[in-house]
Structures are given as structure tokens and as C-alpha cells.
Amino acid sequence: NSSIAVRYTDDRRALTVERGRVEIDVAAQPGRPFVTYAANGTIHDIGTRFQVAHAADHVMVTLLEGEVSVETPESGPAPTVLKPGSQARIGARGDVVAANADLDAAYGWTRGELVFKNRPLADLVGEMNRYSTAQIRLGERGLDGIAVSGVFHAGDQDALIKALQSGWSLRAERVSEREIVLRAPSRR
């Protein structure tokens, strides 16, 4: 569920991440910069490898190799410069916050693995739903904040359901061929 637009001219290479996630491996071409746009953020690079994940309310830029700068109209005069192993979160209001990246998660994604370390169940379900026609829905309040850790295969909803039933005692109800509802453990 990713969408990009590419525009190359003689003096500029540009990619717009409209939604979803991409990994970009850029060859250096002096005099022909590569620029990536996502939401209100602009990422400038010079021969590097990085990932951009464009979610509904933020953009995450993870640098794997090289160097990039991240800026928005609201982020001030000095762009945020990332070094390998760091990431920047661009908020909906244009704020840019840099931090260390979870490189296991970044590299796992390229192998079809979603690596989660103490992240909300709502995030895991949202990410898994991007890779499957069978959509999981949280059927009760309070399930969204359950902390989840593990390595999950993107799009394998059945394996995820088994893990959630086993590790978190959640119940799953297949409402239709394309919808699965998660519920809290039954109280006896």
C-alpha cells in the first residue's frame, strides 16, 4: 500500500512518497541532486541509502548509509542532518525530531519482517494490514495500547493471530473472508 511519484530532469532527481514505505539507494551524481518529498518534509542526500515511511500523521526517515538532511518549512533555518543509524520523525505540524534508529526493524522490513519492540498493538495491526487483504480490527477499547514485541512476517495474518492468541491471550473472530476482529481474553 505504497505510492510514489518520480520526476527526473537534467539537473534534478526527485521522488515523492505519497504514502507507505520505501527504501532508497541513491547513486551520487554531481550537479544532479536527489531530493525526496514526503508530506511537508524534504530530504536531501548525496549518494546514500535510507528509508522513508509516510504514515497518516507523520513521516519517519531512517538513515542506513551516508548522510541526509531533513527539513520542513516549520523546522527553522538549519536542517536536521542524519548520520547512519539515526532517524528523524517529521510530525504533522512540521516539527523534526532526531533519535537513534531501530536498525533491526529497518533491515528486517526489507526481508518482509516487521520487528516490534514494546510498541502498541494498534501500530502492529496497522502495519500488518498494509500487506494483506484480510484486515484485522481491534474490537475493544484498550487493546490498542497493549505493548507488543516480536518479529512478524508482513502479511501473514494467520501467524499474527496465533501469536496474539498464544502470547497475549487475545481472541480472534473471523467476521468475513476479509475481516478479523480481535477481542480481549474472556473472563471466567
Side-chain angles (χ1 to χ4, degrees):
N1 193 18
S2 296
S3 176
I4 62 169
V6 178
R7 184 178 168 134
Y8 283 4
T9 64
D10 290 340
D11 61 347
R12 184 181 188 101
R13 299 170 292 162
L15 180 132
T16 301
V17 180
E18 296 167 344
R19 71 176 180 275
R21 188 171 178 178
V22 297
E23 182 169 300
I24 303 163
D25 193 351
V26 181
Q29 290 186 2
R32 194 168 177 226
F34 188 94
V35 179
T36 303
Y37 302 99
N40 57 352
T42 304
I43 302 112
H44 300 272
D45 70 339
I46 307 165
T48 189
R49 188 162 61 112
F50 61 102
Q51 295 177 356
V52 176
H54 186 178
D57 63 344
H58 71 278
V59 171
M60 189 67 72
V61 179
T62 303
L63 184 61
L64 304 172
E65 298 173 4
E67 185 175 289
V68 298
S69 66
V70 179
E71 62 186 343
T72 69
E74 295 79 11
S75 64
T80 299
V81 177
L82 298 181
K83 301 292 183 189
S86 62
Q87 65 184 26
R89 183 182 193 282
I90 304 170
R93 294 187 176 143
D95 54 310
V96 178
V97 178
N100 290 327
D102 182 344
L103 293 178
D104 290 336
Y107 288 117
W109 173 74
T110 63
R111 296 185 305 267
E113 299 172 345
L114 303 178
V115 179
F116 275 68
K117 295 176 185 169
N118 247 354
R119 298 220 0 237
L121 178 59
D123 289 356
L124 174 58
V125 167
E127 189 69 15
M128 286 292 286
N129 283 344
R130 292 186 61 240
Y131 298 96
S132 178
T133 57
Q135 299 291 287
I136 298 173
R137 184 170 51 87
L138 301 178
E140 298 174 24
R141 285 186 171 271
L143 294 181
D144 56 345
I146 293 174
V148 179
S149 296
V151 178
F152 306 93
H153 297 283
D156 191 346
Q157 305 295 59
D158 291 334
L160 174 62
I161 294 300
K162 287 178 186 173
L164 293 172
Q165 288 172 327
S166 174
W168 287 267
S169 301
L170 297 180
R171 296 179 296 124
E173 176 187 349
R174 187 171 285 274
V175 178
S176 70
E177 185 179 313
R178 293 185 172 221
E179 184 178 14
I180 303 162
V181 178
L182 288 177
R183 302 202 186 279
S186 56
R187 294 182 174 96
R188 295 180 186 183

